[in-house]
DNA sequence: GTCTATACCACGATAGAC
DNA sequence: GTCTATCGTGGTATAGAC
């Protein structure tokens, strides 16, 4: 059997966008979400956008830079929304620290809104983003680092006030775990479909998902700092 | 500037393995870990293994099946070790349920051992595995589903006894979050290097990592079941 | 400036000689 | 079992038309 390369023929459904650049980026988002970055060829992409093959290199420089443009169009507003929510919470709290629950909500809600907005790619865009997290390509790593640095830093400062029993280093790790559970959950292909068998694909499910995720993450963040307990030795006695 | 394709030239360092098939799979593991699946060409791979280009297709059928062989060589023993630890814990506990902490340990310890064993690929192999989780290619999804189904199912039954306040559906979600935090953490490129700046790359770090991860996951699993609390509304008042 | 046609070179895969 | 030759497709670069 041949290899499964689905991005061969392209449906020429133009969104009637005026300029070439917009048509390219819209078609790219759609195809990257459906087939992934590597499996989407520029030839199928440009055919879907009804533009010439060379137009991508002219307007974006390379396939990689086109990918960055696709990501940043959604990602930057989402992280700005997160920072905006955080600043509002800090104003409302005055001198007191913002609660852990509210901080987690401020991180999750913009992702939830994006996931529910089909005009902005919906949850398929978050899947694409989640995959990008684990990509080995250096250009994707650096791009995401720069795009997330400000947002993560702001929230880390706020969590540090809400969780005074944690050192900055402990919190760094826990926020790492939080981002992991979030990006993995949200990028959930059916790889572990066994884990979500009971969940149909209704409209409301993204909200239910985050309502389940938030208590899990809050409890993990509030857990006592790791001391000299040796939980891992309990089972490794051989 | 040209695109960063590092997997061009190949270092011809043979491991002096006797047969062609072993040389291919050893070189493939090394290069897939270093550059990822897509970015590793069969031409550089076969050059590194000192075999002919067509040998991969002859011995494995395709590049994809070679990738599966690379994964399953490490993955199957690791999951068998997890199941072995689980069965030992269940024997020791007799009628009583195994504690949540011990179950998490039984899941993490085989991954930790693999991460510390440089002869088996070390933590770079876990990075490769973590990336495979989020891969959009159907053949990878199906492969991982089949390889994880038994292990996840066994542990889910055990967690259900340890956490009687959770429904099976709730637990399904939380195990999904657990696998997300684990695979994301373990596959951690320097994508969010900002999150691990304080961690040098010593030998002991993988153990420290899991000693930090385990309390986080246990606390999340033990969190009360989601009721009609509306945490997410706290901040979305507009 | 925008866009097009076309020419590279590397890729995975395969047929057939040895 | 192994090798060479070759095919179709991929991303990219550029000359030249509008």
């Amino acid at each position: 059997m041949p290899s499964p390369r689905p991005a061969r023929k392209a449906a020429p459904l133009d969104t009637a966008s005026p300029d070439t650049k917009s048509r390219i980026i819209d078609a790219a988002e759609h195809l990257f979400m459906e087939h992934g970055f590597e499996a989407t060829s520029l030839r199928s992409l440009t055919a879907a956008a009804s533009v010439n093959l060379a137009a991508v290199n002219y307007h974006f420089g390379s396939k990689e830079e086109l990918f960055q443009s696709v990501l940043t169009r959604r990602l930057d507003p989402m992280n700005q929304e997160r920072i905006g929510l955080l600043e509002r919470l800090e104003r409302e709290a005055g001198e007191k620290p913002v609660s852990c629950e509210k901080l987690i909500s401020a991180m999750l809600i913009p992702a939830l809104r994006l996931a529910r907005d089909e005009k902005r790619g919906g949850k398929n865009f978050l899947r694409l983003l989640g995959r990008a997290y684990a990509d080995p390509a250096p250009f994707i790593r650096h791009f995401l680092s720069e795009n997330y640095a400000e947002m993560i830093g702001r929230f880390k400062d706020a969590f540090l006030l809400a969780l005074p029993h944690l050192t900055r280093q402990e919190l760094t790790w826990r926020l790492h775990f939080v981002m992991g559970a979030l990006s993995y959950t949200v990028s959930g292909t059916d790889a572990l479909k066994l884990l979500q068998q009971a969940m149909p694909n209704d409209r409301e499910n993204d909200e239910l998902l985050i309502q389940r995720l938030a208590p899990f993450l809050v409890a993990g963040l509030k857990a006592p700092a790791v001391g000299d307990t040796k939980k891992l030795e309990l089972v490794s006695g051989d």
Side-chain angles (χ1 to χ4, degrees), chain A residues 10 68 74 116 128 146 154 159 200 212 214 224 234-235:
Chain A
Q68 294 181 15
R74 312 291 188 198
R116 301 183 76 179
L128 181 64
E146 292 175 5
R154 297 283 291 269
F159 273 114
R212 285 203 160 94
L234 292 175
V235 82

Side-chain angles (χ1 to χ4, degrees), chain A residues 8 12 17 21 54 79 135 150-151 178 198:
Chain A
R8 189 66 53 87
S17 298
K21 201 168 176 178
N79 280 335
D135 201 286
E150 182 189 0
M151 188 272 291
V178 165

Side-chain angles (χ1 to χ4, degrees), chain A residues 6-13 23-51 56 63 66-67 70 73 121 124-125 127-128 131:
Chain A
R8 189 66 53 87
K9 62 178 180 294
L13 47 111
R23 285 218 308 278
I24 290 176
I25 208 169
D26 285 338
E29 180 178 79
H30 180 249
L31 291 175
F32 287 161
M33 290 190 307
E34 191 168 356
H35 306 294
F37 173 71
E38 307 276 3
T40 300
S41 71
L42 288 184
R43 285 171 172 83
S44 69
L45 196 160
T46 50
S50 300
V51 301
V56 169
K63 187 185 178 188
L66 169 60
F67 186 54
V70 167
R73 182 171 64 155
N124 284 331
F125 176 78
R127 285 186 50 201
L128 181 64
R131 271 182 263 136

Side-chain angles (χ1 to χ4, degrees), chain A residues 45 48 50 71 90 101 137 169 186 232:
Chain A
L45 196 160
S50 300
L71 287 185
E90 288 174 334
E101 286 82 359
Q169 184 175 318
V186 108
L232 290 176

Side-chain angles (χ1 to χ4, degrees), chain A residues 67-230:
Chain A
F67 186 54
Q68 294 181 15
S69 294
V70 167
L71 287 185
T72 202
R73 182 171 64 155
R74 312 291 188 198
L75 206 51
D76 197 55
M78 184 179 75
N79 280 335
Q80 285 306 118
E81 189 182 352
R82 282 168 162 163
I83 291 175
L85 290 176
L86 173 61
E87 288 175 340
R88 190 178 114 193
L89 288 173
E90 288 174 334
R91 277 198 307 275
E92 292 174 359
E95 296 291 316
K96 295 175 296 187
V98 182
S99 75
C100 197
E101 286 82 359
K102 289 182 180 176
L103 291 175
I104 282 287
S105 294
M107 293 188 72
L108 298 192
I109 284 175
L112 171 61
R113 286 186 180 154
L114 179 55
R116 301 183 76 179
D117 188 352
E118 296 297 332
K119 298 288 182 187
R120 289 192 295 164
K123 64 179 179 180
N124 284 331
F125 176 78
L126 291 182
R127 285 186 50 201
L128 181 64
L129 179 60
R131 271 182 263 136
Y133 268 105
D135 201 286
F139 83 96
I140 294 182
R141 292 207 299 267
H142 290 78
F143 171 79
L144 289 179
S145 281
E146 292 175 5
N147 269 263
Y148 274 90
E150 182 189 0
M151 188 272 291
I152 291 287
R154 297 283 291 269
F155 273 87
K156 194 190 288 185
D157 292 339
F159 273 114
L160 213 49
L161 297 176
L163 301 165
H165 67 293
L166 295 182
T167 66
R168 190 172 187 87
Q169 184 175 318
E170 284 277 350
L171 180 63
T172 294
W173 278 108
R174 298 202 178 183
L175 283 182
H176 200 177
F177 304 150
V178 165
M179 293 300 291
L182 173 58
S183 77
Y184 178 87
T185 300
V186 108
S187 71
T189 62
D190 49 0
L192 300 185
K193 194 169 188 172
L194 46 121
L195 284 176
Q196 53 186 352
Q197 48 201 338
M199 163 192 147
N201 274 342
D202 295 1
R203 260 191 74 261
E204 311 280 348
N205 277 337
D206 292 308
E207 185 165 0
L208 282 175
L209 186 156
I210 298 195
Q211 281 188 351
R212 285 203 160 94
L213 180 55
F216 179 91
L217 296 179
V218 168
L221 283 171
K222 287 185 173 178
V226 54
D228 49 359
T229 60
K230 297 204 171 186

